[in-house]
Amino acid sequence: MTITSDPRTAPEKPAGDTVRSALRTGRTALGVRVGTWAVVAAAGLALPYMVALYPLQVATQGVTQGILALSIGWLLRQTGLLSFGHAAFYGVTGYVVGNLAIHTGLPPLPALLLGILGGTVLSLLFALVIARSTGIAFAMLSLALGMMLWVAAYRSRALTDGLDGMVVELHGDFLGRDVADYAGPVHAWPIVWLVLMATIGGLWLVSRTVFGRRLTAIRENEERVRFSGVSTVLPRIAAITISGFCASLAGAVAVLQKAFVSPDDLFFSASGLALIVAVIGGIGSVWGPPLGAIAFAILQALLAKSGHYQAVLGLSLMAFVLLAPGGGAQVVDRIRTAVTRRRGRSTDA
Amino acid sequence: MIVQLLNGLAFGVLLLVLSTGLALIFGLRGIVNFAHGAVYMLAAYVGFTISERMTYWVAIVVTPIVFALIGVLADRFGFRYLTKRGELDMVLLTFGLTFVLTDVVQSVWGLGAKTVDAPAGLQGSTAIGGVDYPTYRLFVIAIGLVVGIALMMWLRRSTIGLHVRASSTARDVAAVVGIDVDRVSAVVVGLGAGMAGLAGVLAGPYLSLSPTMGAEILVLTFIVVVVGGLGSIGGAMAAAIILGLLSTLSSAYSPDIGAYVPYLLMVVVLLVRPRGLAGTRSA
């Protein structure tokens, strides 16, 4: 192996995944990425014309779950914080929308926006309490706070109708259509899809900013960042709130379709499920969590009769953590690297 | 009042048995076992079946032993090879196990709630301090306290207890001075799993069994471990009793407030003393 003095031409060392993925971000042209994103966004809109009603229903559920999974996966990738409490933001958004619809009769659009605001404010409050902790402590605390909201949801019957769940009766027009139309997947799909694509694009852009890079620096070595005179808690609070906002978006989209919210939506397995599909899809890429969620929705539809989807999901999570910690995205990546390497070798020869 | 105190104590020792197991495993392997609640739930259901087929006494002896053996095997053939993995990987791994175990419980025993009858000698109530109190709960308190004290003595007085404490404080140094850290870890993971098994069987006639019982108690166990201080066994024991008493007494006073007390306790402790009662690491 020759040693070159110029670091730019130095042979690629087998560094950790994070360094390599950071380098790769620079290499793929911005235009290609934006182009891919736009093509996928446009192509997705055509789905209702291509598939039958039931697959479309499954896809709509998968994509809704994908937004939640993305919010959790992005937080994990960007900050190293593993949250088991995101279902609380998702569920509280639904409850806020429901209460506004019943008690004030607000039209759908402002009710949904206020619901998202409610979920986001809640995530800010959570962040203020637990943003100082990291690692395992954060995982445990986010689980505890999330479950506190679950307790609150089934105990405050006046606001939530308790364990029975709450029917959210929105009335009026939403984006030029009666709000009841969105219960069917044909009209719900474009909204769900565009919200997902906007979230993917938005989070990707945030990751590229100085703020996003600072979050990564804090994740890698918090002490050093603190020594260099930068606060490490404030960026974490901001990151948790951004991710909570995305989880609230998922909650708003879900309540628009289902018109129903129950304490089950806040239970820790709801957060856990989204986390699992995010990890299986691969958190290294913003595309990973939504793809994992869609794959899970399809799997769930296939396994609906046997009912053992929990065991399948748990086992696949364990398998991925053991064999390919980067999830599906990493598997795709390995294949791509192998192909490029082979192609490089053949051009050398 | 005395009834409420005893209730709090009974719930407290149940949390104690569970959370010290969790804290021990964390101390030795650096693993926060998210499957601890699911293991406890599985043990409760296994205890239920053994009690139905044979007697409760067989269940309370056999179940913890079997779970401890499984724990030793899991450490010997699993965790030992995963020490280089990050702690979050282990969280995900044990969390995946939770889903698998929940699925097993739901498939074998169904979704409905189940109850276990207390064994013949422990049914009915006993007069204590001028009130009649369920005998079985006194039994739970006694077993819990005996287990807690025995564990403390074992950790403080025995050689292997010394090795456990040494490995938990500084794993590498312990290995350098000749402690077989892997063997100590296997013992401790087995002990932790066995204690989860014991807690599950104890909970049978005391609380009712349902597929969500694991998740609910897991959250309380985490609160205990965080309040007590991550990595501290004594802190976890004290926090378990405090949480049991506080939550039972406040529930008796007002159920609405009582449901939130564990969470409030956690938030207050974190804001005032982020290390927990006796912790050395910051939570």
Side-chain angles (χ1 to χ4, degrees):
Chain A
M1 195 160 124
T2 50
I3 296 166
T4 41
S5 55
D6 187 352
R8 278 172 301 171
T9 58
E12 201 178 282
K13 283 187 208 131
D17 278 315
T18 43
V19 175
R20 260 190 287 155
S21 48
L23 285 173
R24 201 181 308 113
T25 344
R27 268 188 271 144
T28 320
L30 183 67
V32 174
R33 293 189 163 235
V34 173
T36 317
W37 179 84
V39 168
V40 173
L45 284 177
L47 194 70
Y49 304 101
M50 297 191 297
V51 299
L53 209 55
Y54 180 64
L56 190 64
Q57 175 75 40
V58 170
T60 312
Q61 279 171 8
V63 169
T64 310
Q65 176 87 342
I67 304 170
L68 183 62
L70 180 58
S71 72
I72 297 175
W74 179 81
L75 187 70
L76 177 57
R77 177 184 71 154
Q78 212 64 34
T79 63
L81 299 173
L82 188 57
S83 169
F84 284 89
H86 268 53
F89 316 140
Y90 171 92
V92 163
T93 303
Y95 278 122
V96 172
V97 174
N99 276 292
L100 287 173
I102 289 168
H103 298 295
T104 67
L106 270 182
L109 186 62
L112 288 170
L113 291 178
L114 285 172
I116 295 169
L117 181 69
T120 313
V121 168
L122 180 72
S123 69
L124 176 63
L125 293 176
F126 267 37
L128 290 174
V129 177
I130 58 177
R132 273 175 203 289
S133 12
T134 52
I136 283 177
F138 184 89
M140 294 160 82
L141 294 177
S142 63
L143 172 67
L145 284 183
M147 288 296 279
M148 179 170 83
L149 263 290
W150 173 74
V151 171
Y154 83 80
R155 292 196 75 94
S156 17
R157 295 195 60 88
L159 287 174
T160 64
D161 294 344
L163 283 172
D164 302 337
M166 179 182 206
V167 178
V168 178
E169 290 175 29
L170 288 166
H171 294 291
D173 279 0
F174 179 69
L175 303 181
R177 232 172 235 299
D178 188 67
V179 72
D181 287 350
Y182 294 104
V186 175
H187 296 299
W189 172 259
I191 301 208
V192 176
W193 179 250
L194 289 179
V195 169
L196 174 73
M197 291 311 290
T199 315
I200 288 182
L203 288 179
W204 181 68
L205 285 176
V206 170
S207 313
R208 286 176 65 91
T209 58
V210 174
F211 167 71
R213 294 295 158 114
R214 182 169 295 162
L215 288 177
T216 318
I218 296 171
R219 178 192 72 194
E220 289 303 314
N221 194 334
E222 183 180 355
E223 205 166 22
R224 182 158 286 188
V225 174
R226 215 182 308 126
F227 284 166
S228 60
V230 179
S231 161
T232 57
V233 175
L234 287 180
R236 266 211 296 268
I237 292 177
I240 296 167
T241 314
I242 290 173
S243 149
F245 167 73
C246 296
S248 311
L249 278 180
V253 166
V255 81
L256 181 67
Q257 301 162 53
K258 290 194 299 179
F260 181 73
V261 55
S262 76
D264 283 349
D265 292 329
L266 285 84
F267 199 64
F268 95 120
S269 54
S271 284
L273 206 64
L275 175 70
I276 291 178
V277 297
V279 172
I280 289 180
I283 57 158
S285 153
V286 277
W287 300 98
L291 286 177
I294 294 168
F296 166 65
I298 296 170
L299 180 83
Q300 200 181 16
L302 293 177
L303 294 178
K305 277 186 194 131
S306 83
H308 286 297
Y309 76 92
Q310 286 200 73
V312 173
L313 200 65
L315 287 173
S316 12
L317 175 71
M318 294 167 79
F320 266 103
V321 170
L322 287 175
L323 305 174
Q330 190 194 18
V331 174
V332 172
D333 224 50
R334 276 185 194 162
I335 296 171
R336 204 171 61 186
T337 318
V339 169
T340 343
R341 198 172 290 158
R342 183 160 299 170
R343 206 181 288 156
R345 215 175 282 152
S346 57
T347 44
D348 286 347
Chain B
M1 185 66 187
I2 189 160
V3 171
Q4 297 307 332
L5 275 177
L6 287 171
N7 276 339
L9 205 56
F11 193 50
V13 296
L14 192 68
L15 286 176
L16 181 149
V17 174
L18 263 181
S19 50
T20 43
L22 191 80
L24 274 172
I25 298 179
F26 177 71
L28 258 288
R29 279 289 187 213
I31 297 168
V32 170
N33 182 12
F34 269 65
H36 212 66
V39 171
Y40 153 84
M41 170 173 72
L42 184 65
Y45 277 93
V46 169
F48 163 78
T49 299
I50 298 180
S51 308
E52 264 197 341
R53 301 269 164 85
M54 288 174 262
T55 72
Y56 176 83
W57 299 111
V58 176
I60 201 167
V61 175
V62 170
T63 316
I65 294 175
V66 170
F67 274 69
L69 287 176
I70 297 175
V72 171
L73 293 177
D75 186 79
R76 176 62 187 81
F77 297 104
F79 297 149
R80 180 185 280 203
Y81 303 105
L82 295 168
T83 43
K84 291 213 173 59
R85 290 303 188 91
E87 44 189 26
L88 293 184
D89 275 6
M90 300 311 294
V91 168
L92 290 170
L93 212 55
T94 51
F95 189 63
L97 189 61
T98 304
F99 271 66
V100 177
L101 293 181
T102 309
D103 196 311
V104 168
V105 166
Q106 286 181 0
S107 324
V108 177
W109 287 280
L111 288 168
K114 300 216 180 313
T115 48
V116 182
D117 289 330
L122 300 174
Q123 282 168 348
S125 53
T126 306
I128 179 170
V131 290
D132 283 338
Y133 192 74
T135 314
Y136 183 76
R137 294 193 184 183
L138 291 174
F139 171 72
V140 172
I141 296 175
I143 292 281
L145 290 180
V146 166
V147 167
I149 292 168
L151 184 72
M152 234 27 201
M153 298 289 280
W154 180 70
L155 282 175
R156 292 207 180 280
R157 296 290 159 87
S158 72
T159 317
I160 187 156
L162 181 70
H163 289 179
V164 170
R165 282 185 291 143
S167 317
S168 164
T169 315
R171 193 181 175 81
D172 297 339
V173 180
V176 165
V177 298
I179 295 173
D180 188 346
V181 181
D182 273 329
R183 224 179 74 197
V184 173
S185 298
V187 169
V188 162
V189 173
L191 189 67
M195 282 168 77
L198 176 68
V201 180
L202 276 181
Y206 166 39
L207 310 164
S208 72
L209 311 187
S210 77
T212 58
M213 67 186 285
E216 286 164 31
I217 206 139
L218 181 70
V219 173
L220 294 178
T221 315
F222 280 179
I223 293 178
V224 164
V225 174
V226 169
V227 167
L230 272 178
S232 159
I233 308 289
M237 287 185 170
I241 303 291
I242 292 173
L243 185 67
L245 286 173
L246 268 184
S247 103
T248 311
L249 291 179
S250 56
S251 293
Y253 174 70
S254 152
D256 277 330
I257 300 174
Y260 299 102
V261 159
Y263 307 100
L264 291 177
L265 178 69
M266 178 191 78
V267 170
V268 169
V269 166
L270 278 178
L271 291 178
V272 178
R273 195 177 156 82
R275 276 177 296 135
L277 297 179
T280 45
R281 316 182 194 194
S282 170

